[in-house]
Amino acid sequence: MEKLELFFIPSPLMGHVGQAIELARLFIKRFHHLTITVLVMKLPNDPIGTDYIDSFTKDDRIKFIHFPPMDLDLFQDCPTVGFMNDAVINRHKPIIRELVASRLTRFNESGSSFDPVNRLGALVVDMFCTPVIDVAKELNVPTYVFFTSNAAFLGSMFYFQTLDDELDQDISELVQSRTEIVVPSYANPVPSRVLPSLFLDKDQWSKRFIGYTRKYRLAKGIIVNTFLELEQHALQSFDDKTPPVYPVGPLLKPEKPTRNDEVLQWLHDQPKSSVLLLCFGSRGWFEPDQVRELAVAIERSGYRFIWSLRRPPDEDQKGFPSEYVDYNEVLPGGFLDRTAGKGKVLGWVPQAEVLADVATGGFVSHCGWNSVLESLWYGVPIATWPIYAEQQLDAFQMVKDLSLAVEISMDYNQMNKNQKLVSAEEIERGIREVMDSDSAVRARVKKMKATARMALEEDGSSFASLSRLVDDIM
Ligand SMILES: O=c1ccn([C@@H]2O[C@H](COP(=O)(O)OP(=O)(O)O[C@H]3O[C@H](CO)[C@@H](O)[C@H](O)[C@H]3O)[C@@H](O)[C@H]2O)c(=O)[nH]1
């Protein structure tokens, strides 16, 4: 079989790079004629280090090219991490073009050499790296988009882009209409209050998301980190105006060998399903008054807990939270003493390892898609508390469409200046519900855990989908 090389271009955000590496590992494991080069960009203030990425794989059929981080001063006028991410990608476009072009030249000239170069089969481009699709078109290399969120959200992007471009509908008006909207990729009508603010905010929607969506239509296919059995409705909702969609998941961030971690050791000694994990993604944080409501709820519920608590970003941190030096600064007086032995408050939590431990019984989550997949993979139900990005829709899908989570909130939105506090009572109710050992939701999540694992097995739905994708690339 002809040997092929693929170029992977992940977006420089934590949740995206991990998934891309896992996808690369999956390709390599199954298809011995493939090699992969991952082009790694970095945000100027990003915590993802070169060593961190290199440590995930030692396979010599996966190569990394690390671009040096750019100077933060170049991005002073980017209002959010999202805009900065786009700007970083745009600034790398010329060098990526050069790399792809020289790779094609080397292949064309290699026919007579003793060291033949594999053909460049395709570019696999992260959902936010769409400027690279222009490069691929220009140089005539097939492109596949790698969508790191779910199929239902992808469907909503296509739906709203069609309304905007073909029916000239003002999406922000629609979102503000306070009605329910029938979006084909969701089984239930979507209340406008759970539509993410990116659809409302003209800058976000018109300048960023509608641009990505138009470019997706030019791709040869869209690879989605999901699986058929989870998102059957959404996956069947795509029409022939969208490129073929390949659900190949669930792909989780590569597992590192378990560290000798004090929290994990403590967790290991707790009774089965007795510990609640509270973790809000790579950029999750709350203002101090919301932290206090949360602390009151945790304490009143009486459950054991592990809580990832992070400090709101400073002005110049562009949305990245930092760590507290002393949690007493923000927690109610005496909280740490009263809960000592019963719970742990820390900054970065080894989330996947915590979810993997049988002592963990429930998960209060912002519903970032990686966290949702990890909850299902390890069979730990979520109580939903979305914060930003597309998370409100993910929470809605999990609670209403799929009955795989319970609700603390589905429409909390940190971008909304009038966002009310979620009260300790509401949080406590959600905690009790998610920790209920006999709930129907817990039983369904357990079943989905087995289904998720089967999807990746030989002849499972995602296994078959990846084969179809590689046939298409060949
Ligand atoms: O203390 C922490 C916090 C996070 N994680 C890990 O970091 C990842 C976080 O990913 P995710 O749950 O998807 O959250 P975000 O980092 O917020 O992800 C961004 O990217 C996702 C995928 O596109 C989107 O669904 C989200 O809305 C967007 O915020 C997961 O693997 C977690 O296990 C930890 O291990 N420890």
Side-chain angles (χ1 to χ4, degrees):
M1 191 174 296
E2 185 196 13
K3 290 193 170 170
L4 278 192
E5 178 163 12
L6 308 178
F7 272 14
F8 271 42
I9 300 135
S11 157
L13 295 166
M14 181 79 83
H16 294 238
V17 182
Q19 283 193 33
I21 296 173
E22 195 51 22
L23 180 63
R25 294 197 331 163
L26 192 64
F27 269 112
I28 294 298
K29 197 166 119 203
R30 289 221 11 228
F31 303 99
H32 296 283
H33 61 292
L34 295 181
T35 54
I36 292 177
T37 299
V38 188
L39 309 186
V40 187
M41 295 174 265
K42 293 185 188 69
L43 294 180
N45 53 355
D46 197 322
I48 315 176
T50 303
D51 293 350
Y52 175 82
I53 289 175
D54 287 345
S55 69
F56 280 128
T57 177
K58 297 275 173 270
D59 196 309
D60 59 8
R61 285 192 292 129
I62 302 183
K63 231 174 42 201
F64 293 99
I65 296 179
H66 290 278
F67 298 117
M70 290 179 160
D71 194 345
L72 185 59
D73 287 345
L74 293 170
F75 305 98
Q76 286 311 344
D77 55 349
C78 299
T80 62
V81 176
F83 281 96
M84 183 158 74
N85 189 52
D86 285 3
V88 166
I89 292 156
N90 272 313
R91 281 180 177 272
H92 281 81
K93 193 172 159 182
I95 176 113
I96 292 175
R97 189 198 173 284
E98 208 175 293
L99 269 169
V100 175
S102 77
R103 185 65 186 64
L104 295 172
T105 310
R106 268 177 60 215
F107 173 71
N108 289 335
E109 290 172 352
S110 73
S112 56
S113 84
F114 290 108
D115 178 23
V117 175
N118 299 344
R119 181 163 67 86
L120 180 60
L123 304 188
V124 175
V125 168
D126 179 90
M127 61 190 279
F128 292 145
C129 295
T130 49
V132 179
I133 297 179
D134 300 334
V135 170
K137 285 269 153 212
E138 182 203 331
L139 300 174
N140 207 14
V141 183
T143 329
Y144 296 81
V145 169
F146 181 37
F147 197 79
T148 58
S149 185
N150 52 75
F153 177 55
L154 174 65
S156 74
M157 286 174 72
F158 279 125
Y159 177 68
F160 286 119
Q161 182 248 333
T162 304
L163 291 188
D164 206 319
D165 280 354
E166 290 178 21
L167 303 173
D168 206 18
Q169 196 149 9
D170 184 337
I171 301 309
S172 56
E173 266 175 30
L174 193 68
V175 173
Q176 276 169 317
S177 64
R178 307 213 157 272
T179 53
E180 292 188 327
I181 302 168
V182 177
V183 180
S185 56
Y186 292 87
N188 290 288
V190 180
S192 57
R193 68 188 168 86
V194 307
L195 286 168
S197 47
L198 65 92
F199 290 129
L200 238 175
D201 176 345
K202 283 210 163 87
D203 269 359
Q204 289 277 356
W205 169 243
S206 316
K207 291 203 186 135
R208 296 186 62 217
F209 278 80
I210 206 165
Y212 302 141
T213 318
R214 287 180 191 136
K215 288 277 159 65
Y216 296 166
R217 294 195 187 270
L218 307 178
K220 263 204 96 191
I222 305 179
I223 307 165
V224 186
N225 188 4
T226 190
F227 52 107
L228 181 66
E229 294 81 354
L230 178 64
E231 290 206 86
Q232 197 138 18
H233 177 89
L235 287 163
Q236 285 169 352
S237 73
F238 294 104
D239 59 25
D240 55 11
K241 287 198 277 175
T242 61
V245 171
Y246 299 94
V248 300
L251 300 171
L252 307 189
K253 187 168 68 167
E255 277 177 41
K256 297 230 207 172
T258 306
R259 288 166 294 160
N260 195 13
D261 189 300
E262 189 241 311
V263 169
L264 292 177
Q265 277 178 10
W266 172 83
L267 180 64
H268 206 62
D269 293 335
Q270 308 308 311
K272 189 166 175 246
S273 296
S274 69
V275 178
L276 174 73
L277 169 67
L278 303 102
C279 188
F280 302 91
S282 53
R283 289 192 285 126
W285 52 269
F286 294 111
E287 294 291 350
D289 46 0
Q290 185 63 76
V291 171
R292 280 188 283 276
E293 295 295 314
L294 192 43
V296 169
I298 293 171
E299 204 175 345
R300 278 201 207 134
S301 80
Y303 284 107
R304 295 175 173 82
F305 65 90
I306 293 176
W307 180 8
S308 165
L309 175 58
R310 309 184 69 205
R311 180 196 273 280
D314 294 332
E315 236 348 78
D316 61 348
Q317 284 176 294
K318 304 262 179 216
F320 283 100
S322 55
E323 308 301 334
Y324 285 103
V325 179
D326 180 1
Y327 294 109
N328 285 311
E329 188 189 316
V330 67
L331 291 169
F335 177 89
L336 290 175
D337 293 335
R338 289 193 300 277
T339 58
K342 207 158 189 191
K344 301 275 177 198
V345 181
L346 59 162
W348 186 262
V349 165
Q351 177 175 300
E353 283 113 314
V354 170
L355 290 171
D357 197 298
V358 290
T360 306
F363 179 19
V364 177
S365 169
H366 73 315
C367 301
W369 191 240
N370 294 288
S371 295
V372 169
L373 293 177
E374 286 164 17
S375 130
L376 299 175
W377 185 257
Y378 295 111
V380 180
I382 280 180
T384 61
W385 189 337
I387 302 182
Y388 61 96
E390 91 297 13
Q391 295 150 16
Q392 295 83 14
L393 273 175
D394 300 348
F396 171 76
Q397 186 187 19
M398 287 295 284
V399 173
K400 293 291 180 199
D401 275 14
L402 303 174
S403 304
L404 288 169
V406 304
E407 174 183 358
I408 288 178
S409 170
M410 286 192 296
D411 60 0
Y412 183 91
N413 190 338
Q414 207 163 50
M415 304 295 137
N416 178 356
K417 295 203 170 54
N418 303 319
Q419 176 62 54
K420 290 209 298 271
L421 288 184
V422 184
S423 70
E425 288 71 32
E426 289 169 276
I427 305 167
E428 187 187 343
R429 185 198 36 73
I431 291 177
R432 291 191 184 284
E433 210 177 330
V434 80
M435 293 302 283
D436 177 356
S437 55
D438 296 323
S439 73
V441 166
R442 183 176 298 277
R444 271 194 293 273
V445 169
K446 231 179 178 166
K447 211 164 149 206
M448 194 51 82
K449 169 180 173 178
T451 311
R453 286 160 191 256
M454 266 156 49
L456 292 175
E457 295 282 310
E458 196 162 346
D459 297 330
S461 61
S462 292
F463 186 97
S465 185
L466 190 69
S467 304
R468 279 197 300 278
L469 170 64
V470 171
D471 282 349
D472 194 61
I473 294 174
M474 295 309 289

